[in-house]
Amino acid sequence: MKKFLLLTGGVIAACVALALIGPLAGLLFSGLFVALGMHFYIASKSSFGKIFWFTVGLIGVLSAVSNIPAMVGLAAIAIIYVIYKKWNGEDVKIPTIEGKKKKIHLQTLKKNGQIYQNKRSDFK
């Protein structure tokens, strides 16, 4: 029964992702405009160049905001990924900012010769 539900959810998510392929392509080009605008804005020396590339980046941002249905398509692709992992019996790990901070803190302690793992009282 579990495999049937995963298969059904995957088929539905795949249909949604395929139906929203156009807005996803639009979101891709919007991101490209934003990236180009930012890159050439920083590299530009003249005021006209800065204004022009800022305008290109702004057009990209406004275009990305208008592609709200693409966010649903991105969510469908993420759901397909999770279903694929669950189908193969693998754990799905979602990275968080807190996890990255803890990992960096542990790496710092290891560099200093202090290896404390899972002892909260030692982090004073």
Side-chain angles (χ1 to χ4, degrees):
M1 185 68 173
K2 183 179 177 183
K3 295 280 187 178
F4 175 73
L5 290 175
L6 288 174
L7 182 66
T8 305
V11 168
I12 292 171
C15 289
V16 170
L18 286 175
L20 295 173
I21 202 100
L24 282 169
L27 186 64
L28 177 72
F29 284 114
S30 299
L32 181 67
F33 279 141
V34 171
L36 284 174
M38 287 175 49
H39 175 75
F40 288 113
Y41 175 82
I42 292 170
S44 178
K45 303 290 183 204
S46 67
S47 297
F48 175 74
K50 288 197 180 282
I51 292 171
F52 177 76
W53 290 113
F54 175 79
T55 306
V56 169
L58 186 63
I59 289 170
V61 168
L62 293 175
S63 175
V65 169
S66 70
N67 280 321
I68 296 297
M71 300 301 172
V72 176
L74 287 176
I77 291 171
I79 290 170
I80 291 170
Y81 173 75
V82 169
I83 288 174
Y84 175 76
K85 288 289 197 177
K86 293 286 185 181
W87 185 276
N88 292 332
E90 300 174 19
D91 282 340
V92 179
K93 294 182 181 179
I94 301 172
T96 61
I97 294 173
E98 289 82 19
K100 288 182 182 180
K101 287 181 183 177
K102 184 176 180 182
K103 183 177 178 182
I104 291 171
H105 184 67
L106 287 174
Q107 287 174 349
T108 304
L109 289 177
K110 287 179 183 178
K111 283 182 183 176
N112 294 335
Q114 305 167 346
I115 302 177
Y116 298 115
Q117 297 176 359
N118 301 329
K119 291 184 179 180
R120 282 291 195 185
S121 61
D122 292 337
F123 288 118
K124 292 179 183 176

